[in-house]
Amino acid sequence: MDIKKILSQMTLEEKAAMCQGADAWHTVAVPHLGVPAVMVSDGPHGLRKINENGNVVKAVCFPTAAGTACSFDEELLESLGDILGQSAQAENVGVILGPAANIKRSPLCGRNFEYFSEDPLLSGRMAGAYIRGVQHQGVGTSLKHYAANNQETRRQSISASISPRALREIYLASFEHAVKSGHPWTLMCSYNKINGTYASENEWLLTDVLRDDWGFDGAVMTDWGACSDHVAGVAAGLELEMPRACDEDDEVLADAVRTGRLPEQVLDRACERMLQLADRVSSGHREEEEFDKGLQHHQARKFARESMVLLKNDNNLLPIRGNKKIAFIGKFAESPRFQGGGSSHINTAETLSALEAVRSVSPVKYARGFETDRDEIIPELVDEAVAIAKDADLAVLFLGLPDLLESESYDRTHMSLPQCQVALLEEIAKVQQNIAVVLHNGAPIVMPWLDKAGAVLEAYLGGQAVGGAVVDVLFGAVSPCGKLAETFPLRMEDTPCHGFFPGDGDRVTYAEDIYVGYRWYDKRHMDVLFPFGHGLSYTTFEYSNLRLSADTYSGGEMTVQVDVTNTGKMYAKEIVQLYVRPETNGFSRPVRELRGFAKLALAPGETGTVTIALDERAFALWREDMDGWYIEPGRYVIEAAASSRDIRLTADITAQTKPVYLPVTMDSTMADAMAIPGADKVLADVCAALDICMGAGGDSLGDSTGEMAAAMFREMPLHAIASFAGGKVTRTQLKAVVDEINQLI
Ligand code: BGC
């Protein structure tokens, strides 16, 4: 497509029309210039194509992002993307509306099942891999919801008040990693405002950060209905309003150009990016056969196996071996909850429950135990369940959150399982000591009942084949290998944003700032139920020989290697996590931050080596006073870990980076001025004058006079010195000192 030529042949009205959808799921075509429409469909964990008569076509539902993130496996996400790309080709869909890379600020966010993690590196890397997979198939993606759509409550009107540092280090970083590693063809901006400006009209977000800083070269569309002022949006860097609103929006946009409110080049730029999208999609399009849903079902089972997390396994209760009498209890054994509600809901052709899957593996007895459409203890169901549990060697309880408790469009209000499920567990525990719990939920729950369960397997919303995958893990066909992509707190009240979620009226303050997820619990030395990165295996792993490519760091890429040995009896995979712990003290920083990870498969007795690269960002923080990334010089500890609370090996490294000093002013403190090499000499006379003067204060200030005076001087702004130097230092002299110090920078 000769984009420049087409653009030059388009009328103003045609260009304006390109910036709005043709309907709910298509962009506008310009047939006489050979520009086709592009069809877009949800995503993210299966294809949700809505056809002409409003029906959702049948497709395969894969585990949702909350689960796949626990695989810590970019290859898995890439192959998921690849499969979805093939499906989209077969259905003539040009762009999949996903992945969703919002950070899990609170476990209560109703849409957490669609999001990857509380950690931006993991979230961004998973999203980037997914994007590469889909786009490898010649189909576009729409990375969403940019940015800070961290709650469903008032998501269309709320303004998220977030510091620049928390945005850069946490909320934007997830998108940044995805944009830089995946190069999505489109991006979907969020409904909400950020610091008072709608994402869809936020020039800083859509242009300065996204394009200028990160190099995004695709088109930005709104979330469905997230356009408030179309002209302001296009001016800020928005290309496409979705879905189609009204003809008036086209007219207003064209009129804005006619009247000079919007420069024509800005509309041209938006239109050019839309043409580029049409070009990318049409060049990537192939006439595909129908996709193989049977094969995809097997892949969905495999992905679910790789995503599950074994949270607890006392006395090796799992895997189930030998001829045991087994009771499967709980409605989810028969009809698992395998996906969440809302725009990502897939119309599945097939599902596999654990009850069906277990038939080919072992005889089991089954009792439903509870219903999922209401939270009501049903005595007959409980009695039936207790009876089969009593007679068994092991009871496997399938518990979780019903649809109603967790969905797009609203947030959860608590983190508990329905009472009827907890009551059932308690009754079973009276007659059966061996209880394994399988959980179907999209986000963490609290587990006051944990001591009653010997084993807990977190299956998340594991896609349509989740039942098969659960049976594979329960009976040891494979070892579980997922690790938590989020912290499970002990109580809802412990969560970082408790008290500030979901905000007051149309404003939510991110008071916890950068301390999200494990960054919060670690900083406050809090106990948690299960830490970020936790996940058990049927085997054991030993870490050894942590080595760094250098013991000093001054920029660029370095590598870290660690050997891992499978010291148990079963083939299994291990996820090695690399955290960096700053031992510097100039800025408030998290105790540790995930800076790399790798997964390896090992046979019993086998040793393998993982190599993980670290770059500048592994050490950097966002300095608001510099409006940029900064690596504090000093000591850092590299931690090779099996979880954020299971650090196996450490090694020190010294960052020999250049400290950055900002120019001092009359308002700078003495300490900040003194930090600049050479400033002590410039300030020598001032210090001497202060000493004499404050020393005369004598005992009247108490025993700590010396310390008090020293602390006071350190934090005294230069302008205040004139008041404490007994007339010996004038403001003019101080101004000269400031100039002299600034010469040293
Ligand atoms: C959701 C998006 C989705 C879009 C289209 C919106 O309500 O927030 O994630 O892609 O609808 O269905």
Side-chain angles (χ1 to χ4, degrees):
M1 206 183 267
D2 187 340
I3 294 174
K4 290 271 182 236
K5 187 163 167 218
I6 294 173
L7 190 65
S8 70
Q9 293 169 342
M10 287 173 81
T11 63
L12 175 62
E13 292 70 22
E14 281 171 336
K15 288 192 269 192
M18 287 283 310
C19 296
Q20 198 187 171
D23 56 31
W25 306 110
H26 294 88
T27 63
V28 163
V30 193
H32 73 100
L33 295 175
V35 182
V38 172
M39 175 160 205
V40 303
S41 287
D42 283 303
H45 41 264
L47 196 63
R48 180 180 161 84
K49 177 183 171 179
I50 305 194
N51 61 22
E52 307 73 51
N53 35 33
N55 297 326
V56 183
V57 302
K58 292 266 183 221
V60 174
C61 178
F62 293 89
T64 74
T68 51
C70 299
S71 73
F72 280 65
D73 187 344
E74 287 170 277
E75 264 174 47
L76 185 150
L77 267 295
E78 241 181 272
S79 39
L80 169 61
D82 210 72
I83 292 166
L84 295 177
Q86 284 169 33
S87 317
Q89 283 286 3
E91 290 285 357
N92 286 317
V93 168
V95 173
I96 294 178
L97 302 176
N102 295 98
I103 291 292
K104 299 182 193 215
R105 175 176 180 240
S106 164
L108 298 178
C109 171
R111 227 172 160 180
N112 274 2
F113 70 89
E114 271 187 81
Y115 299 148
F116 291 106
S117 179
E118 67 190 23
D119 181 84
L121 180 77
L122 180 59
S123 172
R125 294 257 296 260
M126 296 290 108
Y130 175 107
I131 293 166
R132 291 195 296 277
V134 174
Q135 294 188 174
H136 176 239
Q137 287 297 330
V139 170
T141 52
S142 199
L143 176 65
K144 65 188 186 183
H145 313 88
Y146 182 67
N149 183 176
N150 308 110
Q151 63 187 61
E152 291 301 280
T153 307
R154 291 177 178 249
R155 65 173 173 168
Q156 303 192 52
S157 58
I158 196 97
S159 179
S161 293
I162 317 179
S163 74
R165 182 172 177 197
L167 276 166
R168 292 288 188 158
E169 291 187 19
I170 307 289
Y171 296 99
L172 298 184
S174 171
F175 289 93
E176 179 184 2
H177 291 303
V179 165
K180 287 183 174 168
S181 66
H183 306 286
W185 293 355
T186 82
L187 179 139
M188 185 192 293
C189 66
S190 57
Y191 285 118
N192 50 286
K193 295 177 183 169
I194 294 144
N195 294 324
T197 308
Y198 274 121
S200 61
E201 292 161 22
N202 198 320
E203 188 171 2
W204 173 79
L205 193 71
L206 301 187
T207 299
D208 301 356
V209 174
L210 180 64
R211 295 185 195 277
D212 299 349
D213 288 2
W214 303 346
F216 173 72
D217 75 345
V220 176
M221 66 178 81
T222 61
D223 198 343
W224 266 230
C227 183
S228 145
D229 180 333
H230 198 198
V231 177
V234 173
L238 172 75
E239 274 76 45
L240 178 66
E241 173 185 3
M242 285 302 279
R244 180 164 194 82
C246 50
D247 293 349
E248 187 184 80
D249 279 11
D250 297 345
E251 287 152 22
V252 169
L253 197 57
D255 222 44
V257 173
R258 276 186 218 108
T259 57
R261 187 180 157 207
L262 186 75
E264 184 149 14
Q265 308 87 282
V266 175
L267 179 63
D268 284 356
R269 186 188 66 191
C271 196
E272 197 175 328
R273 288 174 185 152
M274 289 306 297
L275 292 172
Q276 176 188 258
L277 176 65
D279 186 35
R280 282 174 161 169
V281 170
S282 58
S283 326
H285 183 65
R286 306 187 298 265
E287 286 306 328
E288 283 285 286
E289 298 287 298
E290 207 193 322
F291 56 95
D292 185 343
K293 297 197 181 70
L295 177 64
Q296 289 195 3
H297 181 80
H298 284 293
Q299 285 156 326
R301 179 168 177 164
K302 183 175 151 237
F303 295 160
R305 275 201 304 253
E306 299 275 326
S307 306
M308 278 175 209
V309 186
L310 184 61
L311 296 175
K312 177 177 177 180
N313 195 20
D314 285 356
N315 306 318
N316 296 327
L317 187 60
L318 297 177
I320 306 168
R321 301 260 191 234
N323 287 331
K324 292 215 172 68
K325 286 198 278 177
I326 301 158
F328 271 19
I329 294 167
K331 175 92 182 261
F332 291 124
E334 176 191 340
S335 39
R337 177 150 176 267
F338 60 87
Q339 63 173 329
S343 59
S344 68
H345 202 268
I346 310 299
N347 184 7
T348 50
E350 186 187 353
T351 53
L352 179 60
S353 71
L355 204 53
E356 289 163 70
V358 79
R359 274 193 210 123
S360 56
V361 179
S362 165
V364 301
K365 285 198 171 151
Y366 171 64
R368 181 176 296 173
F370 57 87
E371 294 294 354
T372 46
D373 57 355
R374 56 193 187 278
D375 188 1
E376 184 187 319
I377 300 167
I378 305 171
E380 311 84 76
L381 295 187
V382 175
D383 292 349
E384 188 195 353
V386 169
I388 67 161
K390 196 171 179 180
D391 187 41
D393 298 318
L394 167 76
V396 184
L397 265 65
F398 292 78
L399 310 179
L401 297 177
D403 277 323
L404 273 176
L405 283 188
E406 192 178 46
S407 170
E408 178 176 342
S409 289
Y410 53 89
D411 295 316
R412 292 194 292 165
T413 52
H414 62 81
M415 292 177 67
S416 304
L417 282 178
Q419 263 315 305
C420 63
Q421 296 186 27
V422 178
L424 174 72
L425 176 90
E426 276 161 3
E427 289 307 310
I428 304 283
K430 288 180 189 157
V431 300
Q432 175 56 258
Q433 297 222 314
N434 295 322
I435 295 179
V437 171
V438 175
L439 289 172
H440 292 291
N441 46 316
I445 53 169
V446 290
M447 304 182 194
W449 42 262
L450 188 60
D451 60 336
K452 302 201 168 60
V456 180
L457 178 65
E458 176 54 81
Y460 278 108
L461 305 184
Q464 66 179 52
V466 66
V470 164
V471 168
D472 295 338
V473 172
L474 285 179
F475 289 85
V478 292
S479 171
C481 59
K483 300 216 181 186
L484 288 179
E486 60 192 325
T487 309
F488 275 51
L490 282 166
R491 313 177 312 145
M492 184 178 81
E493 293 76 11
D494 290 349
T495 58
C497 56
H498 185 72
F500 302 98
F501 179 97
D504 293 313
D506 276 337
R507 181 170 166 169
V508 53
T509 304
Y510 286 38
E512 72 287 0
D513 206 55
I514 56 169
Y515 296 102
V516 179
Y518 64 90
R519 288 168 170 81
W520 168 264
Y521 302 105
D522 283 358
K523 191 77 180 174
R524 298 170 75 92
H525 297 277
M526 290 167 80
D527 285 338
V528 296
L529 188 57
F530 297 110
F532 176 86
H534 167 77
L536 303 173
S537 166
Y538 291 155
T539 191
T540 45
F541 296 101
E542 213 171 85
Y543 289 43
S544 59
N545 212 8
L546 174 65
R547 48 210 188 270
L548 314 184
S549 59
D551 52 16
T552 59
Y553 182 77
S554 43
E557 193 169 289
M558 62 170 288
T559 54
V560 179
Q561 291 189 306
V562 60
D563 297 339
V564 182
T565 305
N566 182 342
T567 46
K569 295 200 176 64
M570 192 173 172
Y571 170 90
K573 294 180 180 168
E574 170 68 336
I575 295 163
V576 178
Q577 298 152 52
L578 211 65
Y579 295 89
V580 174
R581 175 154 57 91
E583 300 265 296
T584 50
N585 54 19
F587 294 84
S588 163
R589 298 191 75 167
V591 175
R592 60 176 55 81
E593 296 184 88
L594 183 75
R595 298 309 199 187
F597 52 88
K599 191 171 187 175
L600 80 172
L602 294 169
E606 196 187 349
T607 299
T609 302
V610 295
T611 304
I612 299 172
L614 295 181
D615 61 14
E616 273 101 355
R617 285 291 283 283
F619 303 96
L621 65 101
W622 182 265
R623 262 182 76 168
E624 293 183 3
D625 56 0
M626 275 172 55
D627 199 26
W629 295 104
Y630 176 62
I631 301 180
E632 283 182 276
R635 187 164 162 263
Y636 293 79
V637 181
I638 309 289
E639 302 177 329
S643 94
S644 63
R645 295 261 169 116
D646 184 4
I647 312 298
R648 299 291 180 87
L649 299 168
T650 62
D652 283 6
I653 186 160
T654 304
Q656 293 182 335
T657 44
K658 237 174 102 54
V660 170
Y661 302 108
L662 298 180
V664 295
T665 66
M666 288 290 275
D667 295 339
S668 301
T669 65
M670 281 287 277
D672 289 346
M674 286 290 238
I676 297 167
D680 52 343
K681 290 199 187 74
V682 181
L683 283 163
D685 292 345
V686 170
C687 290
L690 278 174
D691 243 344
I692 300 159
C693 175
M694 293 304 285
D699 288 345
S700 60
L701 293 171
D703 290 344
S704 57
T705 310
E707 286 71 23
M708 193 224 75
M712 191 173 146
F713 292 161
R714 267 198 310 274
E715 286 166 20
M716 187 177 285
L718 293 174
H719 68 245
I721 286 172
S723 318
F724 292 97
K728 292 197 165 56
V729 182
T730 65
R731 290 189 200 281
T732 311
Q733 280 168 324
L734 282 167
K735 281 186 189 139
V737 164
V738 165
D739 290 343
E740 209 179 321
I741 293 175
N742 284 336
Q743 302 292 320
L744 299 168
I745 297 174

